[in-house]
Amino acid sequence: MEKEYGAVTRRGLYEADDLMAMGQDDNSIICSIDKDLLQVAGHHFNFVKNVYRIVEEEEGNRLLYSQMLTGDTSDGIPGTNGVGPKTAEKLLKSVSSPFMMYCVVLNEYMQKTPLEEGEISRVDQKFLERIVHLVRTHARLLYLLRSEDDSWEAPKQEEV
């Protein structure tokens, strides 16, 4: 691949999908069957299904937040109880910004996550802190890095 097509290879600290996301730009195509890579905006080609597509930024964000809701067993992320792909799509359908998608995910986790010992209610500070920590941990595990110094951060509310 390197000799014939100029493929870039690297060994080291990053997973292959992160490296592919880091390399994505206007002049590249991610060639993969890994659906997780569809969270990265740009050109994509699934060589097994012979499908080419362009993923827009909002669509990529929607996939990331959908994965937070549904979980990803290959990454050890359980998601929220009773939320599959169709429910996640329905929940995220009416919002377009990363901040609002994040709010939808937080709300679902708050509604569906059982209370633990010492947590009095779903508005208990201890419970809320646990949920925010859980969602942020899942997001950081699911998010594909776009550069070596990148990391997932909770989105901030947009100014109106």
Side-chain angles (χ1 to χ4, degrees):
M1 293 293 285
E2 288 174 306
K3 289 177 186 173
E4 186 72 25
Y5 300 105
V8 177
T9 60
R10 283 172 69 185
R11 296 174 199 254
L13 304 173
Y14 303 99
E15 293 184 28
D17 53 3
D18 287 314
L19 290 170
M20 291 177 79
M22 287 181 205
Q24 180 72 315
D25 62 24
D26 292 340
N27 297 312
S28 66
I29 301 173
I30 291 178
C31 297
S32 177
I33 60 172
D34 184 349
K35 66 175 178 45
D36 296 348
L37 283 158
L38 295 174
Q39 70 177 254
V40 180
H43 300 268
H44 291 262
F45 180 68
N46 181 322
F47 49 85
V48 170
K49 295 181 178 179
N50 197 29
V51 173
Y52 167 81
R53 65 188 283 195
I54 297 173
V55 174
E56 300 295 334
E57 192 74 30
E58 182 181 322
E59 179 186 2
N61 285 330
R62 193 173 304 284
L63 175 66
L64 172 63
Y65 289 96
S66 179
Q67 285 181 299
M68 285 187 225
L69 290 167
T70 61
D72 188 327
T73 53
S74 64
D75 287 326
I77 297 168
T80 51
N81 293 331
V83 177
K86 296 273 188 209
T87 303
E89 181 181 340
K90 183 178 170 185
L91 289 166
L92 295 167
K93 182 169 123 177
S94 63
V95 297
S96 59
S97 74
F99 176 76
M100 292 307 297
M101 291 180 200
Y102 177 61
C103 290
V104 168
V105 171
L106 278 175
N107 184 59
E108 279 302 299
Y109 271 75
M110 286 171 47
Q111 299 303 316
K112 304 259 172 107
T113 305
L115 295 171
E116 289 185 346
E117 189 175 325
E119 296 172 344
I120 300 165
S121 71
R122 297 193 182 285
V123 294
D124 178 73
Q125 186 68 28
K126 188 176 177 182
F127 175 76
L128 295 174
E129 287 173 4
R130 181 169 64 89
I131 294 303
V132 168
H133 177 73
L134 182 64
V135 169
R136 289 181 178 190
T137 299
H138 289 177
R140 286 186 181 112
L141 291 169
L142 290 166
Y143 176 77
L144 296 177
L145 302 175
R146 304 321 196 261
S147 66
E148 290 184 12
D149 62 347
D150 191 19
S151 66
W152 183 87
E153 298 296 329
K156 305 224 181 313
Q157 184 173 7
E158 305 84 8
E159 290 188 27
V160 181

